[in-house]
Amino acid sequence: MNIPDPFSLSYHNARLLQESLKSNDLLAGKLVHARIIKSGLHFSVILLNNLMNFYSRTGCFSDAQLLFDEMPVKTIFTWNTLLSAYSRQARMSEATEIFRKIPNRDSVSWSTIIMGYNQLGRFESALKVFDKMIKERVIPTQYTITSVLASCAAIKALDIGRQVHSLVVKFGLSGHVSVVNSLLNMYAKSGDPMMTRVIFDRMEYRNTSSWNVMISLHMQHGRVDLARGQFERMSERDIVTWNSMIAGYNQHGHDFDALCTFSNMLRDSLLLPDKFTFINALSACTNLEMLKLGKQIHARIASTNFDTYGPVGNALISMYAKSGGVQIAQKIVEQSGISRLDVIAFTSLLDGYLKLGDLKPARQIFDSLKDRDVVAWTAMIVGYLQNGLNTDAVELFRLMVRDGPKPNNFTLAAMLSVSSSLTSLNHGKEIHASAIRTGQASLVSVNNALITMYARVGSINCARKVFNQIHWFRDVVSWTSMIMALAQHGLGEEALEHFEKLLAAGIKPDHITYVGVLSACTHVGLVEQGRRYYNMMKDFHKIEPTLSHYALMVDLLGRAGLTQEAYDFIEKMPIEPDAVTWGSLLSSCKVYKNVELGKVAAERLLLIDPDNSGAYSALANLYSVCGKWDDAAKIRKLMKDGGVKKEQGISWVQIKNKFHVFGAEDGLHPQKDEIYKMMAKIWEDIKKMGFVPDTESVLHDLEEEVKEQMLRHHSEKLAIAFALISTPENTTLRIMKNLRVCNDCHSAIKFISKLSGREIIVRDATRFHHFKDGFCSCRDYW
């Protein structure tokens, strides 16, 4: 009988172990281990090393460690095998301990520990180990270099990457394509595109990875045509190539090209899409709102049994939510579980529900989210804001401050917008305090939002204070916000002074800055300055006027009585005038009793907006002030027959965090008797002071006494009367109105401010009026 020699047995068992490892058959490997012991080969270093490798790669670390501990002789391969086992499993504390104990570490030992740190994302640690390796004069291999260059690329360590490049040349490793590709990748990701190009052009042999790096580089810098050129020159393409093109197109707004490339891949390639392919294709469908194509991609995902949990599921949810299929998106959420929903998918769902005007399901999903980060909270708050649910936004923000993450500058900007919408100084100050507590108050963007908020709630002094605090950090938005604020409050000269300072500081104004500048000129009647700044905008700063600029110029000319010039200006406009432009001219015609031009403006306005009640009312009032009562009656009848309802004038005031709303002749307020009694007393007192009711502004054929009563009970007067009986003496009153304040109310409030010794701030549809000691900040020009 022939007995196999020990060498043949060892070779045979080693081969069996390798086959067991390939099939990941733990039982077969253990049987081989038993056979080795039975054959008396358990002292063979080669077989024991193979056994250790088998156990470590099949996850049996305790068996591998036990085997290592029992081995009488340990070679460097033995140590490296155990080191690799722990390193691959990211157990770096154990791996580091083993590394320290290795008696004669070779390049594999060093490379293994470097790769372990790389896998964990501890790139600085990987580079420190490499630095020690070089200092100990261990020559790196191509595998060491590729790992080190990957670390450099990950943290954009260009200087270290250049030093590694010099070592590549020194140790003669530039002949390895994998090393050169790693250099390409490092330079591309670390911000040196020129060196990337130089290396690529000098490569004698390029594989698919080489071309992929160049495609990614071109896409990263927005050079879509160059990326396409590289793509078309490639003889072989892998899934990374196709994904780079699809993702690049998607990221740079070429969504149709992204989908065409995706289609070409399916048609011309044998490659199967991976999750990145599907995510970017679905993202392109989302941007183009191509629901039908998105459904086809979904069907392909389903037919290939692709995992729709995680990123792919979120991409599907985003696509459906933004493309009109929010109900399908909701079903996917229910199937995959809310816990897997990411912030992008949630904000897409929120956007979908916003379009439907239904935020209840969005709030339910938000409440169910496991990890609600600041982006999710902010998205929900913005959702409420966009849907006009300001109170809900305030409540959610307070919940966020109490239980959620720290608000960021976007959250605070959204909440300051809410405060502006609510015209609530108290809410605004609450948000300002939160910004200070969270350290966001130093950010320019937050301060810009604070300036706008304080201006819109009527506190121009607080707006000035914030603006002055950011003296060294002002950008064009800061200046623009302050100029707009001053213009809104009728402080035109001060607004223009700020504009001149902006120019002196070397800051280039934008089109919004010029809206503020022209608005400032309009509110104080600075016609010549307005003309000069309008020409400066066009000729010097080369800013093409928008409808807002044209409307402001018409308003500027019209308010100054230059109605014919305003009309001529409209006729010369290179773009079609909008309702705002014709409305401005109509208002001016009413003030200056230009019936013919007013009629033209009203007709043109109604052609654009047939249901514009303001146009009918303004034209009827124009006829009335000119004594054309029959024409006025015809317009009112036309308005009634067409079912056009006149916008109701309302005023409101906030007292102790509660808003009180009043209409003309309002009889619904629970304190109406006290309010009317107070208003009657005020009326008599200001008449004794010299106030004369403007009964001519009541454009109806009524008795003088009735006209006077109607004037006395205008909404803003009732709001002021209520505020006077509800607040302590010397408190500033802040009244808001949805329409332009009338002449009689304007005159009366001047007297009331002197009578009560109060400052009364009124915000109407176009501006703020600051009444104090019998005077108004607008100087009776509004």
Side-chain angles (χ1 to χ4, degrees), residues 5 22 133 193 252 279 301 333 336 340 405 431 446-447 495 498 554 560 612 627 654 658-659 768:
D5 63 275
K22 281 181 184 177
M133 177 183 180
H252 293 289
I279 288 167
I301 292 169
V333 172
S336 58
R340 296 177 181 270
I431 308 305
V446 173
N447 281 283
H498 276 68
V554 170
N612 191 307
Q654 184 184 15
K658 185 179 178 182
F659 288 93
F768 279 91

Side-chain angles (χ1 to χ4, degrees), residues 13 16-36 50-65 67:
N13 284 314
L16 288 174
L17 280 172
Q18 288 168 7
E19 288 175 1
S20 300
L21 183 60
K22 281 181 184 177
S23 59
N24 199 29
D25 191 337
L26 181 59
L27 180 59
K30 288 197 170 187
L31 287 172
V32 175
H33 189 176
R35 184 174 174 173
I36 289 169
N50 272 276
L51 271 170
M52 269 191 62
N53 186 52
F54 171 79
Y55 282 128
S56 66
R57 287 182 177 271
T58 52
C60 299
F61 300 107
S62 56
D63 290 326
Q65 182 69 58
L67 196 62

Side-chain angles (χ1 to χ4, degrees), residues 108-239:
V108 176
S109 314
W110 289 93
S111 299
T112 301
I113 204 78
I114 289 168
M115 288 179 200
Y117 281 127
N118 247 3
Q119 287 174 354
L120 269 180
R122 293 171 59 181
F123 304 112
E124 292 87 352
S125 299
L127 294 176
K128 284 178 183 176
V129 172
F130 178 70
D131 184 54
K132 288 179 184 176
M133 177 183 180
I134 298 302
K135 285 176 179 174
E136 291 194 17
R137 300 183 182 279
V138 179
I139 297 175
T141 65
Q142 65 188 83
Y143 305 108
T144 321
I145 294 295
T146 53
S147 291
V148 171
L149 287 171
S151 295
C152 294
I155 58 173
K156 295 181 172 58
L158 183 59
D159 289 338
I160 297 173
R162 284 172 175 154
Q163 292 172 29
V164 176
H165 190 176
S166 67
L167 292 174
V168 168
V169 177
K170 179 180 177 180
F171 295 120
L173 297 170
S174 51
H176 296 280
V177 177
S178 60
V179 171
V180 183
N181 283 342
S182 295
L183 281 169
L184 275 177
N185 184 57
M186 184 276 295
Y187 280 117
K189 289 184 177 175
S190 302
D192 193 344
M194 188 177 293
M195 194 63 187
T196 312
R197 185 78 221 184
V198 168
I199 292 171
F200 181 79
D201 289 341
R202 289 179 179 176
M203 288 179 74
E204 291 182 11
Y205 172 74
R206 301 171 186 139
N207 62 12
T208 307
S209 297
S210 316
W211 290 92
N212 288 345
V213 171
M214 294 308 296
I215 289 172
S216 295
L217 175 68
H218 290 314
M219 284 297 191
Q220 182 185 331
H221 292 275
R223 298 190 291 261
V224 176
D225 290 339
L226 288 177
R228 186 188 291 118
Q230 298 275 29
F231 177 78
E232 289 172 353
R233 287 171 60 194
M234 291 177 71
S235 56
E236 290 183 15
R237 299 165 183 149
D238 60 13
I239 192 64

Side-chain angles (χ1 to χ4, degrees), residues 419 423-431 457 654-657:
S419 300
T423 59
S424 172
L425 180 60
N426 292 339
H427 282 147
K429 285 183 174 179
E430 182 184 331
I431 308 305
V457 300
Q654 184 184 15
I655 306 291
K656 294 179 181 178
N657 290 327

